[in-house]
Amino acid sequence: MTTDAERRSAAVRGHRAVYGVEPDAVAFAPGRVNLIGEHIDYNGGLVLPVALPFGTTCSVSPRVDGAVHVVSASLGAAPVVGSLDALESAALQGWWSYVVGAMALSRSRDAFPGGVSVRVDGDVPVGAGLSSSASLECAVLVALDAAAGRSTDPMTLALTAQAAEHEYAGVPCGIMDQAASMLGRADHAVLLDSATLHHEHVPLHLREQAVSLVVVNTRVHHELADGGYAERRAVCERAASMLGEHYLVDADPAAVEDLPEPERRRARHVVSEQARVRAAVRAFGRGELDEVGDLFAASHASLRDDFEVSCPELDLAVASAYDAGAIASRMTGGGFGGSIVALVRDTDVDAVTSAISSAFSSAGYLTPDVLVVDAADGARALV
Ligand code: GLA
């Protein structure tokens, strides 16, 4: 695993090579994988993500020519150069919109009256549903904050990152990904109440039980901005208003059954998933991972059948993982592709990996990427 010291020295070397100066600040922000509580954050409920050991490193240094320069070491794309005002109104697409949005909304932008040079370098697979975008936004915000000599409260930065995603990338996401990136803790999940923003860290005790956290990227490209996500969110909001609730998670399960379709099945997922999050927190606390396995299986079925955000590759990965002995397995993140998350006994990791790979190869799917990860710390300045 890459250490903070290694990330920092690679960033300093890279920054010097591009801009000829040392950065004033270097920050790292991780991607995330959600254990359970899917499509719950924008419905006002509890979610249980963990921060990943990979993410985005961002370095910044001041300029004197009034310009903003941004380079990405990992994407190899041409640098973006211009005044921040010009970049903001350029309606940049994709990756750049996250960086420019975070810079535009950072309250630390006033610390760079003469412009700023930014370099980012990331190792979260893009489009895998592991929040490469949240890690990018948060890394930029923490780096600007550190360079300005501030240490803004992490949840405030998470909200700024979410606003960047709404306003500049056009994705109406909830707060889970940015909060997980900012607030993660090694060996813990973040139990976040997305209505109140109250959060606590839940110890997972996986290592003591010789259990690995496994993420399988199906390599089916997951794209939040393509409309499916926004459509699900709009249906949930409509269902909540039909039921007279501010948040759909508060709906009475019996009342949900009287809704018309598609509100009925979407709401049924939300209400049942919320109950599963509470049960999963209790089960993790008692070390009852078989119970977590039942909850993950029910969560996946609900996302597949009621919320309809799974796809054949995710379904096959989840089923193959269970067949090969995984304790728990489900699709994770927004869906429509991306990754599954699984809990696998250390001794079964090889069997689960090869079962998923050979099922994918027989089905003619792309070779999946299997990542064995640890729950990791959240965003931080690298000093
Ligand atoms: C994406 C969004 C999150 C959340 C998940 C689904 O990752 O960015 O806010 O809604 O989908 O749980």
Side-chain angles (χ1 to χ4, degrees), residues 32 37-42 173-177 224 229 333-334:
R32 67 94 189 92
E38 219 62 84
H39 289 274
I40 289 297
D41 57 353
Y42 56 82
C173 61
I175 188 64
M176 172 172 74
D177 305 347
L224 277 187
Y229 182 87

Side-chain angles (χ1 to χ4, degrees), residues 67-359:
V68 167
H69 280 233
V70 187
V71 298
S72 161
S74 33
L75 291 189
V80 161
V81 181
S83 73
L84 189 50
D85 289 346
L87 294 179
E88 273 188 74
S89 51
L92 295 165
Q93 294 297 307
W95 186 86
W96 299 112
S97 63
Y98 301 115
V99 180
V100 169
M103 292 174 71
L105 296 181
S106 167
R107 77 179 182 116
S108 295
R109 65 183 278 186
D110 60 5
F112 297 92
V116 59
S117 296
V118 178
R119 177 184 179 275
V120 295
D121 190 3
D123 56 5
V124 185
V126 173
L130 301 176
S131 296
S132 57
S133 56
S135 96
L136 182 55
E137 296 147 5
C138 293
V140 169
L141 288 170
V142 176
L144 291 176
D145 211 45
R150 294 189 172 120
S151 49
T152 306
D153 153 67
M155 187 57 86
T156 302
L157 292 185
L159 289 164
T160 305
Q162 181 196 26
E165 191 135 349
H166 286 193
E167 292 169 31
Y168 290 83
V171 180
C173 61
I175 188 64
M176 172 172 74
D177 305 347
Q178 294 79 10
S181 181
M182 290 304 309
L183 297 163
R185 181 181 292 176
D187 303 323
H188 290 69
V190 181
L191 175 62
L192 171 72
D193 181 329
S194 35
T196 62
L197 301 184
H198 175 79
H199 69 274
E200 48 194 85
H201 291 104
V202 174
L204 293 173
H205 302 300
L206 296 181
R207 207 164 302 148
E208 298 93 299
Q209 298 179 81
V211 168
S212 294
L213 184 58
V214 178
V215 173
V216 182
N217 174 10
T218 62
R219 297 176 61 218
V220 176
H221 201 80
H222 146 101
E223 184 52 82
L224 277 187
D226 74 358
Y229 182 87
E231 189 274 341
R232 291 301 184 283
R233 182 170 181 157
V235 172
C236 288
E237 286 168 357
R238 208 160 58 231
S241 96
M242 286 169 168
L243 294 166
E245 298 288 353
H246 185 59
Y247 288 124
L248 189 52
V249 287
D250 297 325
D252 171 7
V256 162
E257 295 304 319
D258 294 332
L259 288 170
E261 293 294 0
E263 287 79 5
R264 185 171 69 98
R265 279 181 303 135
R266 305 297 185 249
R268 194 199 279 154
H269 164 73
V270 169
V271 171
S272 63
E273 181 79 349
Q274 182 65 143
R276 286 186 288 269
V277 176
R278 294 181 195 283
V281 171
R282 287 194 297 271
F284 274 114
R286 293 194 295 252
E288 287 171 1
L289 296 186
D290 288 339
E291 162 80 8
V292 174
D294 293 342
L295 294 163
F296 274 32
S299 171
H300 186 78
S302 176
L303 287 157
R304 181 191 61 212
D305 303 335
D306 281 342
F307 217 68
E308 294 183 292
V309 289
S310 189
C311 65
E313 292 84 350
L314 289 168
D315 295 344
L316 183 62
V318 166
S320 313
Y322 276 118
D323 288 349
I327 302 169
S329 172
R330 56 179 288 276
M331 61 153 277
T332 185
F336 309 108
S339 298
I340 70 157
V341 60
L343 300 176
V344 183
R345 278 175 210 87
D346 295 347
T347 46
D348 291 338
V349 169
D350 288 346
V352 168
T353 302
S354 50
I356 297 176
S357 300
S358 67

Side-chain angles (χ1 to χ4, degrees), residues 47-59:
V47 295
L48 193 66
V50 303
L52 290 168
F54 36 79
T56 304
T57 305
C58 175
S59 52

Side-chain angles (χ1 to χ4, degrees), residues 3-16 26 382:
T3 64
D4 278 3
E6 288 163 346
R7 287 188 194 278
R8 186 182 149 74
S9 58
V12 169
R13 268 197 316 277
H15 198 95
R16 210 190 289 121
V26 180
L382 305 181

